[in-house]
Amino acid sequence: MTQKDITFVADFLTEHFNEAPELYNRKGKYFNVERVGQYLKDEDDDLVSPPNTEGNQWFNFLKNSTHLKESPLLFPYYPEKSLHFVKRQMEGVIDQCLQKPADVIGKSVHQAVSMSLYKTSQSEDSTPQLFKLPFLWNDKTSNIHYVLFTILENSISKIHILRRHTDTSRSVSNGILAVEFGNFLNSSINESSDSRCYSCLDAHFYDDETVTVVLKESVEQEGKERVLAQLPLS
């Protein structure tokens, strides 16, 4: 430790652990606690060393504002409480605000269609994550929802495109299809290779008519090719 470190620790102890006679009547509180740590304790007790808000511009502004002083839009201030206490109060208010919309939205949602994508074992513990890269896109011009995703293991070289009309009573042609990349890039990467196969690392819609994909070589070797491709939906 440097002399500067020692001085810092000594100053810390001097500042926060001096005897405090005004606290003697509080059980177990004979010394000043560290002023940052007291805010982080998950307790409902009052702070031992509450902050001094004198001269605080925000509090002065609220005090002098007729409209904001009792405004229900502002979270109340608890100068004697820790951040954990304030956090619980805030979470309670937010939960109360979100409960009604959650009930209304939940009752308005219904299942439009069900598709079986793959089957897994009965044991959830041994079930691998097979569904990957779900990316959503809404084409407002044609009123169609798109979902891009891949299914691992049996089709790593394929990207699946699911599309549904926003009007659930209407259907679209080719509601779900798969695009397989395979080794179609060999001619542009390596003319002599016929064993290269590409899988999809990521895929997003670029616009309503184009999908951007990041491909990689599936062969386990160093120097794998990475390809950025733009695919027209047509």
Side-chain angles (χ1 to χ4, degrees):
M1 296 178 67
T2 65
Q3 186 61 41
K4 185 177 180 180
D5 295 330
I6 297 173
T7 303
F8 178 79
V9 173
D11 290 343
F12 177 88
L13 295 174
T14 302
E15 179 180 356
H16 296 297
F17 292 93
N18 283 336
E19 289 192 18
E22 68 276 9
L23 300 179
Y24 284 171
N25 61 343
R26 301 183 61 170
K27 186 177 180 181
K29 304 292 185 183
Y30 299 118
F31 299 93
N32 285 325
V33 297
E34 197 273 304
R35 290 174 184 166
V36 174
Q38 65 176 346
Y39 290 102
L40 305 179
K41 291 182 178 179
D42 193 4
E43 300 174 352
D44 290 339
D45 295 339
D46 292 348
L47 299 177
V48 176
S49 300
N52 180 13
T53 59
E54 186 178 351
N56 185 293
Q57 294 179 350
W58 173 248
F59 295 126
N60 291 339
F61 171 69
L62 290 182
K63 190 183 300 181
N64 298 325
S65 172
T66 307
H67 301 289
L68 289 178
K69 190 182 299 183
E70 303 297 332
S71 173
L73 300 178
L74 294 177
F75 282 104
Y77 177 58
Y78 303 94
E80 305 288 335
K81 299 296 184 180
S82 71
L83 291 178
H84 276 283
F85 177 87
V86 177
K87 175 175 174 285
R88 284 196 298 273
Q89 296 290 321
M90 184 179 294
E91 286 175 340
V93 174
I94 293 175
D95 288 343
Q96 186 178 3
C97 291
L98 296 180
Q99 188 58 49
K100 186 67 175 178
D103 292 341
V104 174
I105 294 173
K107 292 176 181 177
S108 67
V109 173
H110 65 276
Q111 178 177 302
V113 65
S114 176
M115 294 184 182
S116 177
L117 298 178
Y118 56 81
K119 292 184 178 180
T120 61
S121 62
Q122 295 295 323
S123 173
E124 294 185 0
D125 296 335
S126 61
T127 301
Q129 180 185 357
L130 298 179
F131 194 70
K132 191 180 178 188
L133 302 179
F135 179 77
L136 309 180
W137 180 267
N138 178 232
D139 183 349
K140 294 182 176 61
T141 304
S142 56
N143 296 324
I144 292 179
H145 283 306
Y146 287 92
V147 183
L148 296 180
F149 61 93
T150 58
I151 299 177
L152 304 182
E153 289 190 346
N154 62 345
S155 57
I156 59 174
S157 63
K158 294 179 183 178
I159 179 173
H160 297 73
I161 303 177
L162 169 67
R163 60 180 184 174
R164 295 287 301 173
H165 203 283
T166 53
D167 181 356
T168 56
S169 64
R170 301 177 58 183
S171 61
V172 294
S173 59
N174 296 328
I176 183 170
L177 54 84
V179 179
E180 184 167 10
F181 300 104
N183 57 4
F184 76 105
L185 293 169
N186 286 346
S187 59
S188 61
I189 299 290
N190 187 344
E191 293 286 353
S192 62
S193 172
D194 59 358
S195 61
R196 293 193 174 190
C197 185
Y198 292 86
S199 59
C200 184
L201 278 178
D202 201 0
H204 282 209
F205 267 80
Y206 181 75
D207 55 29
D208 288 342
E209 301 174 351
T210 311
V211 176
T212 301
V213 294
V214 180
L215 306 174
K216 74 166 182 175
E217 259 190 289
S218 299
V219 182
E220 290 294 334
Q221 64 181 23
E222 290 191 12
K224 292 180 183 178
E225 297 286 358
R226 296 290 193 275
V227 179
L228 181 69
Q230 297 273 73
L231 302 180
L233 278 180
S234 58

